[in-house]
PDB file of all heavy atoms in Angstrom:
ATOM      1  N   VAL N 343     -55.034 137.558 148.003  1.00 97.00           N
ATOM      2  CA  VAL N 343     -55.897 138.087 149.068  1.00 97.00           C
ATOM      3  C   VAL N 343     -56.833 139.121 148.445  1.00 97.00           C
ATOM      4  O   VAL N 343     -56.386 140.147 147.937  1.00 97.00           O
ATOM      5  CB  VAL N 343     -55.060 138.738 150.190  1.00 97.00           C
ATOM      6  CG1 VAL N 343     -55.982 139.226 151.303  1.00 97.00           C
ATOM      7  CG2 VAL N 343     -54.040 137.755 150.727  1.00 97.00           C
ATOM      8  N   GLY N 344     -58.136 138.828 148.477  1.00 97.00           N
ATOM      9  CA  GLY N 344     -59.129 139.759 147.934  1.00 97.00           C
ATOM     10  C   GLY N 344     -59.714 139.246 146.632  1.00 97.00           C
ATOM     11  O   GLY N 344     -58.987 139.056 145.656  1.00 97.00           O
ATOM     12  N   GLY N 346     -61.873 140.833 144.568  1.00 97.00           N
ATOM     13  CA  GLY N 346     -62.489 141.917 143.792  1.00 97.00           C
ATOM     14  C   GLY N 346     -62.115 141.698 142.331  1.00 97.00           C
ATOM     15  O   GLY N 346     -61.747 140.585 141.916  1.00 97.00           O
ATOM     16  N   ILE N 347     -62.175 142.758 141.546  1.00 97.00           N
ATOM     17  CA  ILE N 347     -61.844 142.635 140.115  1.00 97.00           C
ATOM     18  C   ILE N 347     -60.393 142.172 139.957  1.00 97.00           C
ATOM     19  O   ILE N 347     -60.093 141.270 139.166  1.00 97.00           O
ATOM     20  CB  ILE N 347     -62.037 144.002 139.399  1.00 97.00           C
ATOM     21  CG1 ILE N 347     -63.451 144.561 139.628  1.00 97.00           C
ATOM     22  CG2 ILE N 347     -61.712 143.881 137.912  1.00 97.00           C
ATOM     23  CD1 ILE N 347     -64.577 143.754 139.099  1.00 97.00           C
ATOM     24  N   ALA N 348     -59.478 142.773 140.729  1.00 98.00           N
ATOM     25  CA  ALA N 348     -58.052 142.430 140.586  1.00 98.00           C
ATOM     26  C   ALA N 348     -57.779 140.982 140.983  1.00 98.00           C
ATOM     27  O   ALA N 348     -57.100 140.244 140.260  1.00 98.00           O
ATOM     28  CB  ALA N 348     -57.198 143.382 141.432  1.00 98.00           C
ATOM     29  N   GLU N 367     -61.088 135.758 150.632  1.00 95.00           N
ATOM     30  CA  GLU N 367     -61.911 136.981 150.594  1.00 95.00           C
ATOM     31  C   GLU N 367     -62.591 137.103 151.956  1.00 95.00           C
ATOM     32  O   GLU N 367     -63.073 136.114 152.504  1.00 95.00           O
ATOM     33  CB  GLU N 367     -62.941 136.852 149.459  1.00 95.00           C
ATOM     34  CG  GLU N 367     -64.078 137.845 149.472  1.00 95.00           C
ATOM     35  CD  GLU N 367     -63.638 139.309 149.410  1.00 95.00           C
ATOM     36  OE1 GLU N 367     -62.867 139.667 148.505  1.00 95.00           O
ATOM     37  OE2 GLU N 367     -64.063 140.083 150.295  1.00 95.00           O
ATOM     38  N   ARG N 368     -62.660 138.327 152.467  1.00 94.00           N
ATOM     39  CA  ARG N 368     -63.244 138.470 153.808  1.00 94.00           C
ATOM     40  C   ARG N 368     -64.751 138.696 153.780  1.00 94.00           C
ATOM     41  O   ARG N 368     -65.430 138.505 154.773  1.00 94.00           O
ATOM     42  CB  ARG N 368     -62.573 139.621 154.547  1.00 94.00           C
ATOM     43  CG  ARG N 368     -62.904 140.977 153.974  1.00 94.00           C
ATOM     44  CD  ARG N 368     -62.349 142.103 154.809  1.00 94.00           C
ATOM     45  NE  ARG N 368     -62.629 143.363 154.127  1.00 94.00           N
ATOM     46  CZ  ARG N 368     -62.096 144.512 154.438  1.00 94.00           C
ATOM     47  NH1 ARG N 368     -61.221 144.584 155.418  1.00 94.00           N
ATOM     48  NH2 ARG N 368     -62.401 145.600 153.786  1.00 94.00           N
ATOM     49  N   ALA N 372     -68.986 140.129 148.464  1.00 90.00           N
ATOM     50  CA  ALA N 372     -68.023 140.903 147.659  1.00 90.00           C
ATOM     51  C   ALA N 372     -68.509 141.130 146.228  1.00 90.00           C
ATOM     52  O   ALA N 372     -68.126 142.102 145.587  1.00 90.00           O
ATOM     53  CB  ALA N 372     -66.669 140.192 147.634  1.00 90.00           C
ATOM     54  N   LEU N 379     -69.821 150.031 135.775  1.00 97.00           N
ATOM     55  CA  LEU N 379     -68.435 150.344 135.387  1.00 97.00           C
ATOM     56  C   LEU N 379     -68.415 150.664 133.902  1.00 97.00           C
ATOM     57  O   LEU N 379     -69.056 149.960 133.101  1.00 97.00           O
ATOM     58  CB  LEU N 379     -67.515 149.142 135.626  1.00 97.00           C
ATOM     59  CG  LEU N 379     -67.168 148.794 137.071  1.00 97.00           C
ATOM     60  CD1 LEU N 379     -66.456 147.442 137.108  1.00 97.00           C
ATOM     61  CD2 LEU N 379     -66.307 149.868 137.718  1.00 97.00           C
ATOM     62  N   PHE N 380     -67.668 151.685 133.558  1.00 97.00           N
ATOM     63  CA  PHE N 380     -67.382 151.982 132.151  1.00 97.00           C
ATOM     64  C   PHE N 380     -65.980 151.451 131.872  1.00 97.00           C
ATOM     65  O   PHE N 380     -65.047 151.734 132.633  1.00 97.00           O
ATOM     66  CB  PHE N 380     -67.453 153.498 131.934  1.00 97.00           C
ATOM     67  CG  PHE N 380     -66.863 153.950 130.630  1.00 97.00           C
ATOM     68  CD1 PHE N 380     -67.225 153.342 129.433  1.00 97.00           C
ATOM     69  CD2 PHE N 380     -65.943 154.990 130.589  1.00 97.00           C
ATOM     70  CE1 PHE N 380     -66.684 153.752 128.226  1.00 97.00           C
ATOM     71  CE2 PHE N 380     -65.396 155.416 129.387  1.00 97.00           C
ATOM     72  CZ  PHE N 380     -65.766 154.790 128.202  1.00 97.00           C
ATOM     73  N   LEU N 381     -65.845 150.662 130.828  1.00 98.00           N
ATOM     74  CA  LEU N 381     -64.530 150.110 130.502  1.00 98.00           C
ATOM     75  C   LEU N 381     -64.088 150.611 129.130  1.00 98.00           C
ATOM     76  O   LEU N 381     -64.595 150.152 128.095  1.00 98.00           O
ATOM     77  CB  LEU N 381     -64.570 148.577 130.512  1.00 98.00           C
ATOM     78  CG  LEU N 381     -64.983 147.950 131.851  1.00 98.00           C
ATOM     79  CD1 LEU N 381     -65.083 146.434 131.722  1.00 98.00           C
ATOM     80  CD2 LEU N 381     -64.022 148.307 132.969  1.00 98.00           C
ATOM     81  N   ALA N 485     -54.530 141.783 146.611  1.00 98.00           N
ATOM     82  CA  ALA N 485     -55.547 142.381 145.739  1.00 98.00           C
ATOM     83  C   ALA N 485     -56.688 142.853 146.629  1.00 98.00           C
ATOM     84  O   ALA N 485     -57.854 142.753 146.263  1.00 98.00           O
ATOM     85  CB  ALA N 485     -56.033 141.349 144.725  1.00 98.00           C
ATOM     86  N   ASP N 486     -56.320 143.356 147.811  1.00 97.00           N
ATOM     87  CA  ASP N 486     -57.345 143.649 148.823  1.00 97.00           C
ATOM     88  C   ASP N 486     -57.712 145.124 148.897  1.00 97.00           C
ATOM     89  O   ASP N 486     -58.088 145.636 149.955  1.00 97.00           O
ATOM     90  CB  ASP N 486     -56.956 143.085 150.199  1.00 97.00           C
ATOM     91  CG  ASP N 486     -55.561 143.482 150.657  1.00 97.00           C
ATOM     92  OD1 ASP N 486     -54.786 143.995 149.819  1.00 97.00           O
ATOM     93  OD2 ASP N 486     -55.243 143.286 151.836  1.00 97.00           O
ATOM     94  N   GLY N 487     -57.621 145.814 147.773  1.00 97.00           N
ATOM     95  CA  GLY N 487     -58.226 147.137 147.662  1.00 97.00           C
ATOM     96  C   GLY N 487     -57.409 148.277 148.237  1.00 97.00           C
ATOM     97  O   GLY N 487     -56.300 148.105 148.736  1.00 97.00           O
ATOM     98  N   CYS N 510     -68.902 161.320 145.967  1.00 97.00           N
ATOM     99  CA  CYS N 510     -69.721 160.880 144.825  1.00 97.00           C
ATOM    100  C   CYS N 510     -70.806 159.897 145.227  1.00 97.00           C
ATOM    101  O   CYS N 510     -70.741 159.282 146.291  1.00 97.00           O
ATOM    102  CB  CYS N 510     -68.819 160.266 143.753  1.00 97.00           C
ATOM    103  SG  CYS N 510     -68.248 158.621 144.158  1.00 97.00           S
ATOM    104  N   ARG N 512     -73.367 156.778 143.319  1.00 97.00           N
ATOM    105  CA  ARG N 512     -73.552 155.936 142.122  1.00 97.00           C
ATOM    106  C   ARG N 512     -74.800 155.092 142.289  1.00 97.00           C
ATOM    107  O   ARG N 512     -75.031 154.549 143.380  1.00 97.00           O
ATOM    108  CB  ARG N 512     -72.368 154.975 141.964  1.00 97.00           C
ATOM    109  CG  ARG N 512     -71.107 155.637 141.550  1.00 97.00           C
ATOM    110  CD  ARG N 512     -69.965 154.627 141.496  1.00 97.00           C
ATOM    111  NE  ARG N 512     -69.480 154.302 142.821  1.00 97.00           N
ATOM    112  CZ  ARG N 512     -68.619 153.337 143.068  1.00 97.00           C
ATOM    113  NH1 ARG N 512     -68.181 152.573 142.084  1.00 97.00           N
ATOM    114  NH2 ARG N 512     -68.201 153.096 144.289  1.00 97.00           N
ATOM    115  N   GLY N 611     -53.934 146.075 141.454  1.00 98.00           N
ATOM    116  CA  GLY N 611     -55.213 146.784 141.512  1.00 98.00           C
ATOM    117  C   GLY N 611     -55.140 147.988 142.444  1.00 98.00           C
ATOM    118  O   GLY N 611     -54.099 148.633 142.600  1.00 98.00           O
ATOM    119  N   ASP N 612     -56.284 148.286 143.088  1.00 98.00           N
ATOM    120  CA  ASP N 612     -56.346 149.463 143.952  1.00 98.00           C
ATOM    121  C   ASP N 612     -55.351 149.391 145.109  1.00 98.00           C
ATOM    122  O   ASP N 612     -54.952 150.432 145.635  1.00 98.00           O
ATOM    123  CB  ASP N 612     -57.773 149.623 144.530  1.00 98.00           C
ATOM    124  CG  ASP N 612     -58.699 150.353 143.576  1.00 98.00           C
ATOM    125  OD1 ASP N 612     -58.297 150.606 142.419  1.00 98.00           O
ATOM    126  OD2 ASP N 612     -59.835 150.679 143.984  1.00 98.00           O
ATOM    127  N   PRO N 619     -62.070 158.205 139.656  1.00 95.00           N
ATOM    128  CA  PRO N 619     -62.578 157.556 138.440  1.00 95.00           C
ATOM    129  C   PRO N 619     -62.596 158.435 137.186  1.00 95.00           C
ATOM    130  O   PRO N 619     -63.219 158.059 136.204  1.00 95.00           O
ATOM    131  CB  PRO N 619     -64.004 157.165 138.847  1.00 95.00           C
ATOM    132  CG  PRO N 619     -64.389 158.151 139.882  1.00 95.00           C
ATOM    133  CD  PRO N 619     -63.140 158.543 140.606  1.00 95.00           C
ATOM    134  N   ALA N 622     -61.825 156.418 134.327  1.00 97.00           N
ATOM    135  CA  ALA N 622     -62.467 155.086 134.317  1.00 97.00           C
ATOM    136  C   ALA N 622     -61.427 153.991 134.063  1.00 97.00           C
ATOM    137  O   ALA N 622     -61.576 153.182 133.149  1.00 97.00           O
ATOM    138  CB  ALA N 622     -63.591 155.041 133.284  1.00 97.00           C
ATOM    139  N   GLN N 623     -60.391 153.977 134.869  1.00 98.00           N
ATOM    140  CA  GLN N 623     -59.303 153.035 134.602  1.00 98.00           C
ATOM    141  C   GLN N 623     -59.039 152.034 135.734  1.00 98.00           C
ATOM    142  O   GLN N 623     -58.246 151.118 135.561  1.00 98.00           O
ATOM    143  CB  GLN N 623     -58.010 153.810 134.311  1.00 98.00           C
ATOM    144  CG  GLN N 623     -57.938 154.312 132.889  1.00 98.00           C
ATOM    145  CD  GLN N 623     -57.908 153.177 131.874  1.00 98.00           C
ATOM    146  OE1 GLN N 623     -57.190 152.196 132.034  1.00 98.00           O
ATOM    147  NE2 GLN N 623     -58.708 153.296 130.829  1.00 98.00           N
ATOM    148  N   GLY N 624     -59.669 152.208 136.910  1.00 98.00           N
ATOM    149  CA  GLY N 624     -59.310 151.340 138.047  1.00 98.00           C
ATOM    150  C   GLY N 624     -59.485 149.862 137.751  1.00 98.00           C
ATOM    151  O   GLY N 624     -58.572 149.055 137.967  1.00 98.00           O
ATOM    152  N   ALA N 625     -60.668 149.491 137.254  1.00 98.00           N
ATOM    153  CA  ALA N 625     -60.922 148.080 136.959  1.00 98.00           C
ATOM    154  C   ALA N 625     -60.086 147.630 135.765  1.00 98.00           C
ATOM    155  O   ALA N 625     -59.599 146.496 135.702  1.00 98.00           O
ATOM    156  CB  ALA N 625     -62.404 147.858 136.696  1.00 98.00           C
ATOM    157  N   CYS N 626     -59.909 148.548 134.798  1.00 98.00           N
ATOM    158  CA  CYS N 626     -59.119 148.209 133.592  1.00 98.00           C
ATOM    159  C   CYS N 626     -57.678 147.876 133.998  1.00 98.00           C
ATOM    160  O   CYS N 626     -57.134 146.832 133.611  1.00 98.00           O
ATOM    161  CB  CYS N 626     -59.104 149.380 132.616  1.00 98.00           C
ATOM    162  SG  CYS N 626     -60.736 149.930 132.100  1.00 98.00           S
TER     163      CYS N 626
HETATM  164  C1  FAD O1135     -66.845 156.138 142.197  1.00 83.75           C
HETATM  165  C2  FAD O1135     -65.987 155.172 141.440  1.00 83.75           C
HETATM  166  C3  FAD O1135     -66.298 154.890 140.121  1.00 83.75           C
HETATM  167  C4  FAD O1135     -65.463 154.027 139.397  1.00 83.75           C
HETATM  168  N1  FAD O1135     -65.745 153.785 138.092  1.00 83.75           N
HETATM  169  C5  FAD O1135     -64.911 153.007 137.369  1.00 83.75           C
HETATM  170  C6  FAD O1135     -65.156 152.768 135.996  1.00 83.75           C
HETATM  171  O1  FAD O1135     -66.143 153.256 135.439  1.00 83.75           O
HETATM  172  N2  FAD O1135     -64.264 151.984 135.299  1.00 83.75           N
HETATM  173  C7  FAD O1135     -63.166 151.429 135.907  1.00 83.75           C
HETATM  174  O2  FAD O1135     -62.372 150.742 135.229  1.00 83.75           O
HETATM  175  N3  FAD O1135     -62.927 151.625 137.223  1.00 83.75           N
HETATM  176  C8  FAD O1135     -63.769 152.393 137.954  1.00 83.75           C
HETATM  177  N4  FAD O1135     -63.533 152.579 139.288  1.00 83.75           N
HETATM  178  C9  FAD O1135     -62.392 151.922 139.925  1.00 83.75           C
HETATM  179  C10 FAD O1135     -62.680 150.463 140.219  1.00 83.75           C
HETATM  180  O3  FAD O1135     -63.931 150.304 140.846  1.00 83.75           O
HETATM  181  C11 FAD O1135     -61.590 149.922 141.140  1.00 83.75           C
HETATM  182  O4  FAD O1135     -60.336 150.356 140.700  1.00 83.75           O
HETATM  183  C12 FAD O1135     -61.589 148.405 141.129  1.00 83.75           C
HETATM  184  O5  FAD O1135     -62.828 147.911 141.541  1.00 83.75           O
HETATM  185  C13 FAD O1135     -60.477 147.913 142.054  1.00 83.75           C
HETATM  186  O6  FAD O1135     -60.566 146.543 142.163  1.00 83.75           O
HETATM  187  P1  FAD O1135     -59.693 145.779 143.259  1.00 83.75           P
HETATM  188  O7  FAD O1135     -60.006 144.355 143.072  1.00 83.75           O
HETATM  189  O8  FAD O1135     -58.291 146.254 143.186  1.00 83.75           O
HETATM  190  O9  FAD O1135     -60.229 146.321 144.660  1.00 83.75           O
HETATM  191  P2  FAD O1135     -61.665 146.072 145.360  1.00 83.75           P
HETATM  192  O10 FAD O1135     -62.761 146.097 144.363  1.00 83.75           O
HETATM  193  O11 FAD O1135     -61.724 147.045 146.496  1.00 83.75           O
HETATM  194  O12 FAD O1135     -61.565 144.607 145.920  1.00 83.75           O
HETATM  195  C14 FAD O1135     -60.820 144.272 147.049  1.00 83.75           C
HETATM  196  C15 FAD O1135     -61.390 142.993 147.646  1.00 83.75           C
HETATM  197  O13 FAD O1135     -60.550 142.587 148.726  1.00 83.75           O
HETATM  198  C16 FAD O1135     -61.359 142.212 149.824  1.00 83.75           C
HETATM  199  N5  FAD O1135     -60.556 142.379 151.037  1.00 83.75           N
HETATM  200  C17 FAD O1135     -60.180 143.548 151.607  1.00 83.75           C
HETATM  201  N6  FAD O1135     -59.418 143.301 152.685  1.00 83.75           N
HETATM  202  C18 FAD O1135     -59.320 141.956 152.796  1.00 83.75           C
HETATM  203  C19 FAD O1135     -58.665 141.084 153.713  1.00 83.75           C
HETATM  204  N7  FAD O1135     -57.968 141.562 154.737  1.00 83.75           N
HETATM  205  N8  FAD O1135     -58.750 139.756 153.541  1.00 83.75           N
HETATM  206  C20 FAD O1135     -59.475 139.244 152.487  1.00 83.75           C
HETATM  207  N9  FAD O1135     -60.122 140.025 151.602  1.00 83.75           N
HETATM  208  C21 FAD O1135     -60.044 141.358 151.740  1.00 83.75           C
HETATM  209  C22 FAD O1135     -62.547 143.152 149.741  1.00 83.75           C
HETATM  210  O14 FAD O1135     -63.658 142.647 150.462  1.00 83.75           O
HETATM  211  C23 FAD O1135     -62.777 143.197 148.245  1.00 83.75           C
HETATM  212  O15 FAD O1135     -63.625 142.166 147.797  1.00 83.75           O
HETATM  213  C24 FAD O1135     -64.348 153.429 140.032  1.00 83.75           C
HETATM  214  C25 FAD O1135     -64.066 153.697 141.362  1.00 83.75           C
HETATM  215  C26 FAD O1135     -64.876 154.572 142.065  1.00 83.75           C
HETATM  216  C27 FAD O1135     -64.538 154.852 143.505  1.00 83.75           C
END
Side-chain angles (χ1 to χ4, degrees):
V343 182
I347 306 297
E367 166 59 53
R368 69 174 176 193
L379 288 170
F380 166 50
L381 300 176
D486 52 347
C510 76
R512 289 177 283 171
D612 276 8
Q623 279 296 315
C626 303

